[in-house]
Amino acid sequence: LTPVVEGVVWTTVRGVWFAGVRLRAHSTVVRSEDGGLLLYSPPPPTPELKAELRALGPVRWLCVPNRFHHLGAPAAAQAYPEARVVGPRSALERNPALRLDVEIQSDAARESLPEFDTLPLSGVPFLDETVLFHRPSETLLAADIVLSACAKDHWTWRAAGRLTGCYDKVRVPPDVRGKVVDKGAAARSIERIQNAPARRLLVAHADVIEGDWPGALTEAWR
């Protein structure tokens, strides 16, 4: 685990193959004020990760952010049977092994996660992503709304990043860009995300985006 906000937010990274390239996939751990942990885009629970999480507090929530970041959730749910799984129902269609306890856009999710605001990305059902804003740490948790390749990445993703224009630049994933069905709804969603009083944006396939992250988001979705 790498600390992002001391004592509150951490990230962990693993390598995954997708569409012929090897990406770095980040997951986020948030400790709530009651000491419980939320895992956003939960990774497979390795013994090393489980030991680190055990030292931080009990895992109470596993958040599946969209239709694609569900692969680690079944194993994580098995490792943490008392944790509740929250996510979009569309992910169930892609993973029969996935258990969903709370739909992420429901009143139950908002009531159960009082420290978080839910910010859905509308107009892109292909992705069906919900961004979480953790108010106490002023941190936005996202998965695939943007990505970026850099020198830290595997050569396959560095090469693909240059071809697709996202090497050292924050961009919308190529497969997402072509699947926007309602540009107006997507634009309004991005604006709501930008209006969150956040200090940083965390996504799955890029390093922490700080500073003018709203400007980077605007440029990516222009």
Side-chain angles (χ1 to χ4, degrees):
L1 292 174
T2 301
V4 177
V5 178
E6 195 64 39
V8 183
V9 180
W10 299 261
T11 58
T12 181
V13 65
R14 66 194 183 280
V16 296
W17 286 97
F18 180 78
V21 300
R22 187 166 178 82
L23 300 164
R24 288 181 301 142
H26 295 79
S27 298
T28 304
V29 179
V30 179
R31 181 158 57 190
S32 298
E33 293 176 349
D34 65 2
L37 304 180
L38 177 143
L39 275 58
Y40 187 89
S41 188
T46 64
E48 295 81 6
L49 179 60
K50 289 170 68 176
E52 289 192 66
L53 293 174
R54 193 178 306 118
L56 297 179
V59 176
R60 292 184 177 152
W61 287 94
L62 305 172
C63 181
V64 177
N66 62 31
R67 293 178 66 242
F68 294 92
H69 280 252
H70 53 73
L71 295 178
Q78 186 174 9
Y80 301 105
E82 296 182 359
R84 302 180 75 187
V85 183
V86 57
R89 293 204 173 275
S90 58
L92 295 173
E93 303 167 4
R94 298 180 58 83
N95 190 347
L98 180 66
R99 185 190 89 229
L100 196 64
D101 300 310
V102 182
E103 206 283 321
I104 197 166
Q105 282 304 310
S106 67
D107 291 338
R110 287 184 281 272
E111 292 169 2
S112 301
L113 298 168
E115 295 181 20
F116 295 88
D117 293 335
T118 55
L119 303 169
L121 175 62
S122 301
V124 196
F126 167 79
L127 193 57
D128 197 13
E129 177 159 330
T130 297
V131 176
L132 296 185
F133 174 52
H134 185 238
R135 293 189 302 276
S137 67
E138 300 175 301
T139 301
L140 282 163
L141 315 180
D144 294 323
I145 62 169
V146 291
L147 49 57
S148 179
C150 71
K152 299 178 185 177
D153 286 298
H154 190 265
W155 71 266
T156 55
W157 179 221
R158 296 200 309 269
R162 289 188 172 94
L163 288 173
T164 56
C166 60
Y167 187 83
D168 278 341
K169 295 179 181 178
V170 176
R171 292 290 182 263
V172 176
D175 55 341
V176 175
R177 187 167 53 232
K179 301 291 177 60
V180 178
V181 299
D182 188 334
K183 292 184 178 181
R188 290 189 292 273
S189 296
I190 293 298
E191 185 176 6
R192 283 193 293 271
I193 294 169
Q194 289 172 319
N195 287 336
R199 292 179 178 268
R200 62 195 63 82
L201 170 63
L202 308 183
V203 296
H205 308 299
D207 291 330
V208 178
I209 305 170
E210 296 183 290
D212 185 21
W213 66 264
L217 197 59
T218 296
E219 182 61 28
W221 280 86
R222 189 180 303 281

